[in-house]
Amino acid sequence: MTRSELSPQQNQRQRAMAVLAHMPTQRIAACLGDVDVPPHEALRQPENGLVMVRGRIGGDGAPFNLGEASVSRAAVRLSSGEVGFGYVLGRDGEKARLIALCDALIQSDVFKERIEDKVLAPLRQELEKARAQQDAETAATRVDFYTLVRGEG
């Protein structure tokens, strides 16, 4: 399914997950501290497991099993019924829980704007700033190679 085939809510959730997955647990928790989080329950307590990572040579070759990666997952349900899911690489159950909570809140008509303004927008700016800084540092070490062709008569 391409991004254009997704509903607006699915697009919003996907963009939110792209930001949250790259942020430290403490930053997500700090931003969520600015939001009056409604009552919620854990449908799935944070748990750790393994997933098989698959790869392809050259992007179009036959798939092969590259190895296993640790993941954490959690699921949360708001008292209003919205269910959120959080999956992260690594063994950070608290981050998976916070992402699941944000996912559920994004689906709520009451909370989605607050989550965008208080959590996602600041984290997105931090992520963009960090990427711009990394790009600038990388560009500063760039070396341009060129070849001179000799004329041999």
Side-chain angles (χ1 to χ4, degrees):
M1 184 176 280
T2 64
R3 183 166 257 186
S4 62
E5 295 172 351
L6 297 176
S7 72
Q9 185 183 48
Q10 288 171 320
N11 272 326
Q12 183 182 22
R13 290 173 70 191
Q14 197 174 63
R15 285 190 312 272
M17 295 306 111
V19 171
L20 294 169
H22 290 93
M23 298 307 296
T25 307
Q26 298 81 3
R27 285 298 301 133
I28 298 170
C31 290
L32 266 175
D34 296 338
V35 178
D36 292 330
V37 177
H40 58 280
E41 65 176 315
L43 289 179
R44 179 185 305 272
Q45 290 293 335
E47 58 187 5
N48 301 319
L50 294 172
V51 294
M52 181 58 68
V53 178
R54 303 207 60 188
R56 291 177 185 254
I57 298 294
D60 61 355
F64 63 94
N65 292 335
L66 182 63
E68 294 177 332
S70 297
V71 293
S72 297
R73 68 179 179 176
V76 171
R77 179 175 37 220
L78 301 180
S79 58
S80 55
E82 292 85 359
V83 176
F85 301 93
Y87 287 83
V88 293
L89 280 174
R91 300 176 55 85
D92 192 347
E94 179 62 12
K95 183 175 180 179
R97 187 189 71 77
L98 292 172
I99 289 175
L101 180 57
C102 287
D103 185 38
L105 292 168
I106 289 167
Q107 297 173 63
S108 167
D109 292 333
V110 176
F111 288 96
K112 79 172 135 186
E113 288 182 20
R114 266 184 270 177
I115 292 299
E116 180 61 42
D117 294 341
K118 302 274 186 183
V119 178
L120 297 175
L123 294 179
R124 191 175 292 118
Q125 287 177 345
E126 288 178 27
L127 190 59
E128 289 170 359
K129 183 178 176 182
R131 285 182 178 162
Q133 182 179 352
Q134 184 177 15
D135 289 347
E137 290 171 1
T138 302
T141 63
R142 181 177 173 180
V143 178
D144 290 324
F145 292 95
Y146 59 90
T147 303
L148 295 176
V149 179
R150 294 190 310 182
E152 297 267 336

